[in-house]
């Protein structure tokens, strides 16, 4: 069997090298690809997502809408876990942070105050030769200077400017309807509710408000699957501080968020900070950092850590006429709080985690190669699969069903008795299920089961009674 294993290992290596040299990118306008690392092509993830029910193209039967997706049965579980884990670690385990859930539609003046009506624009250029479209700020420097298409070298058109805000209307009578917008970023609700939270929650500065919510952008170059969409979800922390403490809290949350991402990925070396250059910084920002992750698309932003100073609350004070200043209860000092913002994407996290977790590897038992999603057990959509060794032995089936019924009250459990046990393991590996419980003939004698672990395919024998605690210990975040 060794020659077969060697063959598979070599085949896998060749395949990885092939992928390394041939990153199948869906769109070429994104930033350039990182050199020479065996990264997973986006197509593999798109295909897995469709095949196994993670993500579907939206309105597919009508031909789809570019940059908009739906989440299937496994996708929604993964997404909920990602969201819940963020919420737990940002809101529930920090005494000085609370959460809100604001609406998608707000008063249109909000977007004037925030500067979105005036400034939320992308500059777009087209290649006169190959007709490809690019965001001007995503062009490599050389192409920008020479006005040259990065794909075919053709001449680029003059940049055109597009506002990214999606318009909508409130009211029914034509002529009396009010034009407003689907929010272009989720965080504005936090500034709008800041004063209400302050008064209703007895929070005192320094404190933070978190929110997870949908945002909408008329992206001119949507693409690369979930990476750049027109409807997507963001998570934000806005942390309000006294100006003298700004640097301290900025450093604190910057590191906190970096460690958070590091804790849920396998390829820790693919995570880094990128400091914004002087030309990227907003006029009020002393500094800003992106947490970037390296994929087949190159190093790309995953989350932004921003120094927002007193910009947002001052603007909303000015536009609404409401005083949003804070009075320190002890010193009686009155000031507009400064803000540290951490703003990331749920969908980008979803995509990056799949890219980070996906692997095709030869099976050390020598039968066939397997696709495995090495998702963190905290986030995996299905935590455990319960499998009777044979489906035609009634006692095995009833015992397995019984175990599944008990476990599903505690975590997402799947019962599966279709096909041979090896096939069933492969099915679970492919969706990232960290544990498979097999009920075999020994179970009927001594009430023990085999627990197979996904990554190393190691097996332990456990009493059925010990199962819930054993599994909970490993799939519950801490
Ligand atoms: P980019 O430079 O990639 O356009 P941005 O700087 O405009 O991103 P922010 O407005 O800071 O992004 O949004 C915060 C986070 O929201 C980003 O770090 C990213 O994870 C996510 N995000 C932004 N735009 C999109 C999009 N079109 N599709 C999916 N996620 C997005």
């Amino acid at each position: 069997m060794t020659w077969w294993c060697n063959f598979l290992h070599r085949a896998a290596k060749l395949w990885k090298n092939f992928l390394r040299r041939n990153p199948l990118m869906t769109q070429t306008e994104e930033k350039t690809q990182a050199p020479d690392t065996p990264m997973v092509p986006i197509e593999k993830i798109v295909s897995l997502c469709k095949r196994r029910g993670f993500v579907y193209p939206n309105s597919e039967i009508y031909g789809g809408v570019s940059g908009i997706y739906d989440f299937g049965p496994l996708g929604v579980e993964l997404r909920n876990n990602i969201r819940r884990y963020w919420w737990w670690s940002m809101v529930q385990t920090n005494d000085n942070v609370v959460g809100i859930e604001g609406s998608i539609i707000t008063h249109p003046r909000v977007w004037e105050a925030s500067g979105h009506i005036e400034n939320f624009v992308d500059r777009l250029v087209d290649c006169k030769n190959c007709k490809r479209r690019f965001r001007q700020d995503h062009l490599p420097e050389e192409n920008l200077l020479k006005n040259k298409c990065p794909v075919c070298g053709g001449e680029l058109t003059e940049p055109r400017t597009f506002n990214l805000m999606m318009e909508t209307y409130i009211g029914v009578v034509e002529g009396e309807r009010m034009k407003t917008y689907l929010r272009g970023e989720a965080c504005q609700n936090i500034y709008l509710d800041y004063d209400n939270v302050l008064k209703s929650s007895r929070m005192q500065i320094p404190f933070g408000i978190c929110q997870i919510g949908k945002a909408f952008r008329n992206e001119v170059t949507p693409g690369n699957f979930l990476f750049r969409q027109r409807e997507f979800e963001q998570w934000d922390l806005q942390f309000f501080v006294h100006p003298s403490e700004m640097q301290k809290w900025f450093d604190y949350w910057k590191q906190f968020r970096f460690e958070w991402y590091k804790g849920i990925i396998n390829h820790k070396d693919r995570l880094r900070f990128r400091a914004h250059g002087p030309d990227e910084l907003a006029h009020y920002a002393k500094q800003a950092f992106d947490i970037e992750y390296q994929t087949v698309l190159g190093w790309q932003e995953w989350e932004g850590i921003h120094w927002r100073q007193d910009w947002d609350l001052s603007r909303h004070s000015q536009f609404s006429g409401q005083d949003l200043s804070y009075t320190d209860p002890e010193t009686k000092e009155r000031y507009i709080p400064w803000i540290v913002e951490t703003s990331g994407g749920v969908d980008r996290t979803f995509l990056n985690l799949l890219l980070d977790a996906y692997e095709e590897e030869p099976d050390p038992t020598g039968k066939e190669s397997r696709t495995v999603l090495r998702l963190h057990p905290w986030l995996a959509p299905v935590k455990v699969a319960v499998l009777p060794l044979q489906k035609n032995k009634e006692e095995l089936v009833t015992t397995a069903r019984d175990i599944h019924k008990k476990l599903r009250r505690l975590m997402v459990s799947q019962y599966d008795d279709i096909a041979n046990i090896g096939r069933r393991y492969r099915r679970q590996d492919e969706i990232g299920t960290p544990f498979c419980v097999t009920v075999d003939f020994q179970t009927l004698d001594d009430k023990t089961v085999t627990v197979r672990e996904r990554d190393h395919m190691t097996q332990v024998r456990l009493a059925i009674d010990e199962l819930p605690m054993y599994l909970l210990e490993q799939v519950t975040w801490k």
Side-chain angles (χ1 to χ4, degrees):
M1 204 50 82
T2 347
W3 70 268
W4 176 238
C5 287
N6 287 343
F7 170 74
L8 284 174
H9 270 292
R10 287 195 53 198
K13 241 185 173 165
L14 283 171
W15 175 237
K16 277 186 177 173
N17 284 336
F18 170 76
L19 295 182
R20 197 187 305 181
R21 286 195 300 271
N22 296 278
L24 303 172
M25 294 168 68
T26 45
Q27 295 212 355
T28 43
E29 63 264 31
E30 293 298 346
K31 290 166 196 165
T32 44
Q33 187 217 341
D36 216 28
T37 30
M39 311 254 173
V40 183
I42 298 269
E43 270 68 12
K44 294 246 169 206
I45 302 300
V46 176
S47 153
L48 174 83
C49 282
K50 177 98 191 285
R51 197 171 65 249
R52 300 307 310 269
F54 282 89
V55 184
Y56 312 124
N58 171 271
S59 326
E60 195 181 13
I61 58 170
Y62 289 98
V65 184
S66 156
I68 303 188
Y69 291 91
D70 290 348
F71 290 83
L74 290 179
V76 81
E77 292 295 344
L78 175 58
R79 209 175 154 77
N80 282 342
N81 291 344
I82 294 171
R83 280 203 208 100
R84 277 196 220 115
Y85 176 52
W86 185 88
W87 194 261
W88 177 81
S89 46
M90 296 297 286
V91 180
Q92 292 173 260
T93 54
N94 283 301
D95 291 334
N96 55 358
V97 178
V98 289
I100 62 158
E101 189 166 319
S103 59
I104 284 167
I105 296 174
T106 54
H107 196 287
R109 289 274 284 164
V110 171
W111 304 103
E112 286 173 42
S114 69
H116 279 72
I117 303 290
E118 210 180 327
N119 301 321
F120 199 42
V121 290
D122 270 350
R123 288 159 73 79
L124 173 78
V125 290
D126 293 295
C127 173
K128 290 183 183 169
N129 181 42
C130 69
K131 310 294 178 212
R132 280 190 173 84
R133 178 163 286 178
F134 305 93
R135 251 173 71 171
Q136 199 188 26
D137 61 330
H138 284 179
L139 284 176
E141 184 123 357
E142 194 199 332
N143 299 77
L144 199 60
L145 289 173
K146 295 187 177 156
N147 202 33
K148 219 171 78 177
C149 171
V151 178
C152 75
E155 193 191 342
L156 298 172
T157 58
E158 282 297 304
R160 287 178 291 158
T161 301
F162 286 91
N163 191 290
L164 304 187
M165 294 297 287
M166 281 200 193
E167 293 174 4
T168 187
Y169 295 85
I170 299 178
V172 287
V173 181
E174 198 62 48
E176 290 174 17
R177 298 197 309 168
M178 178 168 73
K179 182 170 110 177
T180 184
Y181 305 90
L182 304 183
R183 64 185 175 199
E185 60 180 20
C187 64
Q188 290 299 323
N189 297 82
I190 298 182
Y191 313 132
L192 304 178
D193 288 336
Y194 155 78
D195 201 40
N196 280 327
V197 171
L198 198 61
K199 287 174 180 148
S200 60
S201 68
R202 302 177 60 223
M203 281 282 149
Q204 286 182 10
I205 279 175
F207 80 99
I209 305 179
C210 275
Q211 183 183 228
I212 302 182
K214 289 272 189 178
F216 301 82
R217 294 182 187 175
N218 254 325
E219 294 278 0
V220 290
T221 54
N224 289 319
F225 195 34
L226 305 179
F227 184 82
R228 189 169 303 287
Q229 298 173 84
R230 290 183 162 138
E231 173 178 337
F232 59 98
E233 199 162 37
Q234 292 183 309
W235 48 43
D236 283 279
L237 161 73
Q238 305 290 324
F239 199 78
F240 302 88
V241 302
H242 186 277
S244 65
E245 293 205 310
M246 183 69 182
Q247 187 70 58
K248 177 179 109 183
W249 285 109
F250 185 87
D251 294 342
Y252 174 83
W253 286 111
K254 178 181 154 219
Q255 206 51 40
F256 186 100
R257 294 303 300 146
F258 191 83
E259 295 304 326
W260 191 87
Y261 285 111
K262 205 164 146 192
I264 53 172
I265 54 174
N266 300 305
H267 302 281
K268 319 267 184 215
D269 55 325
R270 294 183 188 165
L271 198 69
R272 73 174 188 192
F273 280 121
R274 186 185 69 82
H276 284 210
D279 52 331
E280 290 174 276
L281 285 175
H283 64 88
Y284 47 79
K286 184 175 149 195
Q287 52 188 324
F289 288 86
D290 286 345
I291 296 176
E292 291 191 333
Y293 184 71
Q294 190 187 29
T295 69
V296 73
L297 307 175
W299 286 100
Q300 296 280 0
E301 173 179 340
W302 194 341
E303 172 157 321
I305 317 293
H306 302 130
W307 178 294
R308 300 198 63 93
Q309 206 148 308
D310 59 352
W311 168 255
D312 307 280
L313 291 183
S314 299
R315 289 282 287 191
H316 285 301
S317 280
Q318 185 192 333
F319 277 69
S320 66
Q322 303 291 317
D323 180 7
L324 296 177
S325 60
Y326 175 80
T327 306
D328 188 294
E330 275 166 30
T331 64
K332 306 297 174 214
E333 184 191 356
R334 202 175 174 76
Y335 59 94
I336 296 271
W338 285 22
I339 295 176
V340 180
E341 172 186 71
T342 71
S343 179
V346 177
D347 309 83
R348 226 170 255 192
T349 303
F350 189 102
L351 175 63
N352 284 349
L353 289 181
L354 290 179
L355 287 165
D356 181 79
Y358 185 97
E359 207 167 319
E360 289 170 1
E361 64 168 24
D363 182 345
T365 60
K367 297 221 173 66
E368 50 185 303
S369 66
R370 66 169 186 157
T371 297
V372 55
L373 272 190
R374 299 186 194 281
L375 286 169
H376 199 300
W378 297 349
L379 305 177
V382 177
K383 306 299 184 193
V384 61
V386 186
L387 321 169
L389 189 63
Q390 288 175 15
K391 113 184 216 191
N392 51 4
K393 289 278 180 276
E394 202 187 321
E395 273 180 287
L396 294 182
V397 169
T398 0
T399 312
R401 281 199 182 279
D402 198 41
I403 293 173
H404 165 63
K405 264 193 207 154
K406 284 190 181 122
L407 289 179
R408 76 182 178 193
R409 297 174 61 211
L410 306 169
M411 63 193 76
V412 178
S413 167
Q414 269 189 2
Y415 171 84
D416 186 8
D417 60 14
I418 310 290
N420 70 46
I421 197 78
R423 274 269 180 82
R424 283 181 271 163
Y425 285 154
R426 299 285 162 279
R427 275 207 289 268
Q428 296 299 332
D429 289 343
E430 203 187 24
I431 62 168
T433 307
F435 299 102
C436 286
V437 169
T438 307
V439 175
D440 55 22
F441 292 100
Q442 192 183 329
T443 312
L444 305 180
D445 287 339
D446 64 4
K447 295 199 175 349
T448 64
V449 286
T450 300
V451 182
R452 173 199 183 261
E453 186 268 341
R454 174 198 68 202
D455 290 347
H456 305 100
M457 295 185 276
T458 47
Q459 305 202 350
V460 289
R461 196 91 202 163
L462 279 187
I464 294 174
D465 288 348
E466 288 170 355
L467 258 184
M469 275 319 288
Y470 177 83
L471 294 172
L472 275 178
E473 184 58 33
Q474 316 211 41
V475 302
T476 313
W477 43 68
K478 21 183 125 58

